[in-house]
């Protein structure tokens, strides 16, 4: 029987997701760059990805996911007292996407902040939400992970353009007597951040010159090496610290970066691949949106049940990792 090692008063009370209508398949990419459907799928596990329309941006992804949350659970949002949006592709650096969500849904008075932790962003935002609720100062927090990565993708670079897609997921987290957040883990290796970046103002990272066109740049080999060693160690540390075993986890929900990474992590940790939820086949790598989109696919297939224990694990740009063990309360 799983013990609850982390005090928590945060429960998940609603969930929603959104992806744009346009689909970009591997076959489509064959017409754009020197690649093949077989090559992409064997190396990444991706078959297709969703692409935001020209007039759609990150805020639209957020709005779509939150509207879906309202439709599915009939919740009231006017009394939300904090909004957190995890994204690396905001419409604007300010106003924040969280402020845009506040305005769109008529939330009267709340805190609003964007969380920039790349592919670890959604899990990091959930951890922050739990801390705010534990403080006693807040009672109802809306957490969104949203991206329009395709607008920051260089479609002449076949090593990155095959990866990324757009979408969003949202969770409503509320203070309850019995919480859902059981344990967490974090790690960062900022000295290697130049292996995965998107430029802004500076021409270098720690003296390492970078491309400054605002597009995503990734050293796939180095990021892969970091992920397949760091994530298993993080899972092991989380388990040992809280007296848990892989059998205590009903569903492992890693960031959907690359199926080869996920398979390696499962092999090294003993977590069965059949108890792993991903969204990469359908949606590609959606960074901060990939974990909630994987949950959404599983909910639609009636795989996740109330009371199930989920291990969420985000990892990527930074290089940053964030893990959260939670009990599903919907």
């Amino acid at each position: 029987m799983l013990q609850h090692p982390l005090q928590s008063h945060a429960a998940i009370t609603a969930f929603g997701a959104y992806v744009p209508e346009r689909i970009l398949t591997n076959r489509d990419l064959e017409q754009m760059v020197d690649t093949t459907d077989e090559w992409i799928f064997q190396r990444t596990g991706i078959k297709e990805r969703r692409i935001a329309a020209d007039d759609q941006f990150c805020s639209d992804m957020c709005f779509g996911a939150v509207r879906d949350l309202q439709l599915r659970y009939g919740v009231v949002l006017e009394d939300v007292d904090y909004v957190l949006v995890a994204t690396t592709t905001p419409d604007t650096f300010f106003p924040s996407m969280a402020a845009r969500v506040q305005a769109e849904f008529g939330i009267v008075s709340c805190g609003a902040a964007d969380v920039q932790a790349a592919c670890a962003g959604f899990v990091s935002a959930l951890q922050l939400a739990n801390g705010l609720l534990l403080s006693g100062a807040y009672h109802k927090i809306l957490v969104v992970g949203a991206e329009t990565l395709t607008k920051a993708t260089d479609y002449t670079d076949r090593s990155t353009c095959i990866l990324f897609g757009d979408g969003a997921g949202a969770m409503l987290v509320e203070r309850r007597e019995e919480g859902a957040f059981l344990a967490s883990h974090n790690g960062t290796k900022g000295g290697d951040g130049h292996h995965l970046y998107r430029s802004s103002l500076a021409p270098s990272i720690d003296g390492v010159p970078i491309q400054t066109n605002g597009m995503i740049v990734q050293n796939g080999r180095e990021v892969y090496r970091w992920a397949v060693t760091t994530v298993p160690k993080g899972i092991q540390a989380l388990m040992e610290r809280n007296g848990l075993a892989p059998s205590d986890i009903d569903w492992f929900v890693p960031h959907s970066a690359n199926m080869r990474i996920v398979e390696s992590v499962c092999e090294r940790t003993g977590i069965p691949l059949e108890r792993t939820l991903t969204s990469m086949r359908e949606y590609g790598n959606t960074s901060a949106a990939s974990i909630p989109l994987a949950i959404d696919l599983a909910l639609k297939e009636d795989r996740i049940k109330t009371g199930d224990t989920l291990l969420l694990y985000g990892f990527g740009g930074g290089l940053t990792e964030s893990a959260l063990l939670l009990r599903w309360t919907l």
Side-chain angles (χ1 to χ4, degrees):
M1 184 70 176
L2 176 64
Q3 300 299 308
H4 299 167
L6 179 70
Q7 181 188 11
S8 172
H9 295 288
I12 302 161
T13 58
F15 177 85
Y18 173 80
V19 291
E21 292 182 4
R22 182 186 170 194
I23 298 173
L24 182 69
T25 68
N26 292 347
R27 295 294 185 189
D28 295 330
L29 285 166
E30 289 180 348
Q31 309 306 313
M32 300 166 63
V33 291
D34 182 17
T35 192
T36 65
D37 170 55
E38 181 182 15
W39 189 91
I40 295 170
F41 185 68
Q42 285 184 349
R43 285 160 178 77
T44 67
I46 298 169
K47 274 291 186 182
E48 57 189 41
R49 63 288 290 147
R50 298 299 180 97
I51 309 294
D54 290 345
D55 60 350
Q56 280 187 312
F57 297 92
C58 183
S59 59
D60 299 294
M61 304 297 109
C62 293
F63 301 161
V66 176
R67 289 191 187 104
D68 184 55
L69 177 149
Q70 287 182 304
L71 181 65
R72 286 160 80 164
Y73 293 92
V75 293
V76 173
L77 299 179
E78 287 83 354
D79 58 342
V80 164
D81 44 21
Y82 218 104
V83 179
L84 293 168
V85 174
T87 185
T88 58
T89 51
D91 305 14
T92 53
F93 289 115
F94 53 88
S96 67
M97 296 303 93
R100 295 289 303 280
V101 169
Q102 176 274 327
E104 178 72 13
F105 293 93
I107 302 171
V108 178
S109 178
C110 71
D114 287 357
V115 178
Q116 212 290 59
C119 307
F122 186 73
V123 178
S124 297
L126 286 175
Q127 292 173 341
L128 292 171
N130 185 47
L132 291 170
L133 293 169
L134 280 173
S135 76
Y138 302 92
H139 295 82
K140 191 173 185 178
I141 299 178
L142 182 62
V143 179
V144 184
E147 300 286 7
T148 48
L149 294 172
T150 62
K151 295 185 184 298
T153 296
D154 179 359
Y155 280 95
T156 67
D157 177 6
R158 76 168 191 159
S159 67
T160 59
C161 74
I162 64 173
L163 299 175
F164 301 115
D166 304 328
M171 283 187 188
L172 192 62
V173 186
E174 298 187 58
R175 186 172 176 81
R176 292 288 189 268
E177 284 301 314
E178 185 176 1
F181 291 46
L182 310 178
S184 63
H185 170 82
N186 295 89
T188 303
K189 194 176 183 183
D192 285 344
H194 59 279
H195 291 310
L196 176 55
Y197 66 86
R198 181 183 175 213
S199 65
S200 178
L201 299 178
S204 64
I205 300 173
D206 291 333
V208 178
I210 61 174
Q211 298 181 35
T212 56
N213 60 4
M215 297 296 167
I216 299 167
V217 178
Q218 174 175 263
N219 182 334
R221 185 183 301 274
E222 290 300 323
V223 173
Y224 178 89
R225 184 179 300 158
W226 169 78
V228 299
T229 56
T230 302
V231 174
K233 289 179 181 178
I235 292 173
Q236 182 178 5
L238 182 67
M239 295 292 185
E240 291 179 354
R241 192 164 60 245
N242 295 284
L244 305 176
S247 58
D248 291 316
I249 299 171
D250 293 302
W251 298 107
F252 175 43
V253 195
H255 164 51
S256 290
N258 180 309
M259 198 62 200
R260 291 171 62 192
I261 292 176
V262 173
E263 289 170 349
S264 178
V265 169
C266 288
E267 182 179 349
R268 296 183 186 208
T269 60
I271 297 174
L273 193 60
E274 58 268 23
R275 287 200 277 119
T276 300
L277 306 177
T278 68
S279 57
M280 70 194 66
R281 181 186 178 95
E282 297 83 356
Y283 302 135
N285 179 341
T286 55
S287 191
S290 78
I291 286 176
L293 287 177
I295 291 172
D296 183 58
L297 289 170
L299 288 172
K300 289 176 178 176
E301 295 173 355
D302 199 30
R303 300 177 76 186
I304 300 176
K305 308 294 185 182
T306 301
D308 280 356
T309 299
L310 279 61
L311 173 58
L312 315 185
Y313 211 117
F315 55 90
L319 299 171
T320 301
E321 49 172 327
S322 295
L324 181 62
L325 192 70
L326 59 82
R327 184 176 60 255
W328 193 251
T329 52
L330 291 178

